[in-house]
Amino acid sequence: MEVTKTVQGGVVQLTNQKRRELNTEYQNLQKYLQGDEDAEVYSANKQQAERFYDTIKEDREYPISVRKDLIDIQECESDVADYFVKIPTAQRYGGLKLPVKTHTEIEDDWEIGESKVIKRDGRFYIHISVSYEVEPVSDLQGVYGIDLGLRNPVVGVALVGGEGSCPKVQTVDFHADRIQKIQSRYAYLRRNTSTGKKWRDSEYNKVEDILHNVTTEIADYCEENKLAVAVGDLEGIQNQDQGRVMNRKLHRFPHYKFKQLLRYKLKERGLPLIEVDEAYTSQTCSKCGEKGERYRGRFRCSGTEMDADYNGAVNIGQRALSKVEINSLDSAGATVT
Ligand SMILES: [Zn+2]
C-alpha cells in the first residue's frame, strides 16, 4: 500500500543573506503571477506556478512550488535544524540550502514529491509531500468492530480470533463521546452569546483535535493487537428514522471525517478498514442471531438483553471476520495437528 503525506517544517535560523535571497525569489514570483513578465524567478519555479495556479487573485500570495526532481533533502547533524532542504532560486546557482525543522522524520527510502515554500506572518515554512510503501500486516489476529452509534458515537468491540473459531469479545472504548460534550456546550454558547462565529471556529478546532486523538488511539491499539477495523457504511445509519432529536445528534457527529482520518491512520500502519453492510446489524442479536428490538439504548431478544450499540458493534465485527484472513493462534494450532 502506498501512503502519501505532507511533512510540514519551519525554515529556521536563516542567515540574512539567505533570507534576502529567499524573499527575493518569493516576492518576484508574486510579481510574476500578477503580470510582471520580467520578474526574475527560477524558470522551473515559474513553470510550476503556471501549472498549479489557475486563477490569480490580486490580494493573495502564492507559495513557491518546487518540482520534485529539483528539491534535495539532507539530514542535518545540528541542534538548530533537522534537515537542509535545497531549493532552486534565480539568485543562487546550484540552489539555496534552507535549514528546516520538522515534527516528522523523513526516512531515506521515502519518495519526495512536489513541495511548497510558504510565507506566513513574515516567516517561511516548507511543505514537503512524501510517499512510501507500507507492508500490509499479514498475521491479523481479529477485528475491531465499530458501531457509529446513537448515544455514544463510536462504540468499539474487539473480536479476537478468526471466523469459525469462537472469537473473544471485549469492549474497548476510546471515549469519542467527548465530542458530543463539546458540541452540546458550544451549541449552548452559540445560542446564548452574540459572537456565534467565534464559537463555531473554536468548536471546530476542538472537535478536530479530539477526532485526531481518538482515531490515533484506535489505530495504535489495532496496530498493537493486529486487528483489522470494521465500520458500517454510513448510508444505512443516516437513513434509519430514529426520531428527530436523535437524527440531529447523529448528523452532527462528524462520521465522515472520523472514517477518513481512521482509514488513513490504519493505512499508515498496514491495517485494513473494512466497510460492511450495516443492514439489520441493530436489529439482530449478536449472540443468538434472532431478530430483536432496540429500545432506549438497549437491545432485547427473547433470551437476553444488552447495550444496543455494543450489540451493533459485535455484529459489524462479525460480518467483517468473514471478509479478512485472520491467522488466529487457535486456527493456526488446529491446522498443524
Ligand atoms: Zn439473542
Side-chain angles (χ1 to χ4, degrees):
M1 293 186 271
E2 196 190 54
V3 173
T4 54
K5 67 176 173 190
T6 305
V7 175
Q8 304 192 1
V11 178
V12 289
Q13 303 286 331
L14 275 180
T15 60
N16 286 338
Q17 175 66 24
K18 282 185 177 179
R19 172 175 294 282
R20 255 196 314 274
E21 288 180 22
L22 182 57
N23 215 20
T24 304
E25 183 76 14
Y26 182 86
Q27 294 305 345
N28 284 353
L29 177 71
Q30 310 311 320
K31 287 182 198 156
Y32 175 72
L33 290 172
Q34 299 298 343
D36 179 359
E37 295 279 330
D38 298 328
E40 202 190 358
V41 181
Y42 189 79
S43 60
N45 293 349
K46 273 186 191 174
Q47 285 159 12
Q48 285 288 102
E50 278 163 3
R51 261 180 71 195
F52 291 122
Y53 310 141
D54 286 340
T55 42
I56 304 297
K57 291 184 182 154
E58 263 178 51
D59 54 351
R60 251 198 75 182
E61 293 192 350
Y62 294 82
I64 305 171
S65 172
V66 184
R67 218 168 68 196
K68 59 182 173 188
D69 56 310
L70 296 174
I71 192 165
D72 182 50
I73 298 176
Q74 284 165 15
E75 238 172 282
C76 161
E77 303 282 330
S78 91
D79 300 335
V80 179
D82 303 312
Y83 298 96
F84 277 124
V85 179
K86 200 160 73 177
I87 64 154
T89 61
Q91 298 275 309
R92 188 180 289 225
Y93 182 75
L96 185 60
K97 228 172 166 184
L98 308 171
V100 169
K101 234 176 155 46
T102 63
H103 287 301
T104 347
E105 219 169 293
I106 301 169
E107 308 285 345
D108 286 341
D109 57 345
W110 289 6
E111 200 174 313
I112 307 297
E114 251 78 41
S115 300
K116 287 194 165 94
V117 178
I118 293 156
K119 192 179 185 185
R120 204 190 302 134
D121 301 328
R123 280 203 58 187
F124 283 105
Y125 300 86
I126 189 157
H127 290 183
I128 303 163
S129 77
V130 295
S131 57
Y132 53 94
E133 278 296 315
V134 175
E135 278 295 311
V137 173
S138 59
D139 51 344
L140 291 171
Q141 300 296 309
V143 168
Y144 183 68
I146 296 174
D147 185 66
L148 298 172
L150 295 175
R151 288 170 313 122
N152 190 339
V154 178
V155 175
V157 173
L159 285 81
V160 180
E163 195 199 7
S165 73
C166 188
K168 269 190 288 178
V169 181
Q170 193 194 351
T171 305
V172 187
D173 188 5
F174 294 96
H175 307 288
D177 56 338
R178 284 176 279 170
I179 287 175
Q180 283 171 317
K181 284 176 193 145
I182 284 172
Q183 287 175 327
S184 17
R185 195 170 73 229
Y186 278 97
Y188 173 83
L189 290 170
R190 271 201 306 277
R191 271 198 308 277
N192 294 287
T193 53
S194 52
T195 47
K197 164 93 170 76
K198 194 185 97 195
W199 293 122
R200 204 181 310 278
D201 291 346
S202 168
E203 172 185 353
Y204 180 83
N205 291 336
K206 286 219 165 90
V207 167
E208 185 99 342
D209 275 358
I210 300 175
L211 275 180
H212 269 285
N213 290 342
V214 170
T215 48
T216 300
E217 284 166 21
I218 293 174
D220 284 345
Y221 170 80
C222 292
E223 183 180 32
E224 203 173 301
N225 294 283
K226 299 188 175 180
L227 303 175
V229 176
V231 286
D233 63 52
L234 292 176
E235 299 299 316
I237 195 171
Q238 308 273 9
N239 294 330
Q240 282 168 22
D241 183 21
Q242 302 282 355
R244 263 179 44 221
V245 179
M246 269 309 182
N247 262 332
R248 204 170 59 206
K249 279 191 184 162
L250 186 65
H251 285 286
R252 242 197 358 206
F253 182 83
H255 282 124
Y256 179 78
K257 181 91 193 181
F258 169 82
K259 242 156 101 164
Q260 199 183 29
L261 286 173
L262 186 59
R263 178 178 290 112
Y264 180 79
K265 287 173 187 184
L266 292 169
K267 199 175 168 192
E268 276 188 309
R269 291 161 176 80
L271 295 167
L273 180 76
I274 305 156
E275 297 202 45
V276 301
D277 180 6
E278 213 166 46
Y280 308 115
T281 50
S282 62
Q283 291 117 294
T284 309
C285 175
S286 58
K287 288 184 180 155
C288 67
E290 199 181 290
K291 209 170 169 227
E293 280 180 354
R294 291 180 81 117
Y295 181 68
R296 293 201 171 161
R298 302 293 292 172
F299 174 87
R300 262 189 230 129
C301 73
S302 64
T304 188
E305 191 191 316
M306 65 192 122
D307 179 86
D309 293 333
Y310 167 87
N311 182 56
V314 175
N315 280 330
I316 286 168
Q318 272 168 346
R319 282 190 188 183
L321 277 179
S322 59
K323 293 192 175 185
V324 278
E325 207 170 308
I326 308 292
N327 296 317
S328 73
L329 298 172
D330 289 359
S331 56
T335 46
V336 172
T337 49

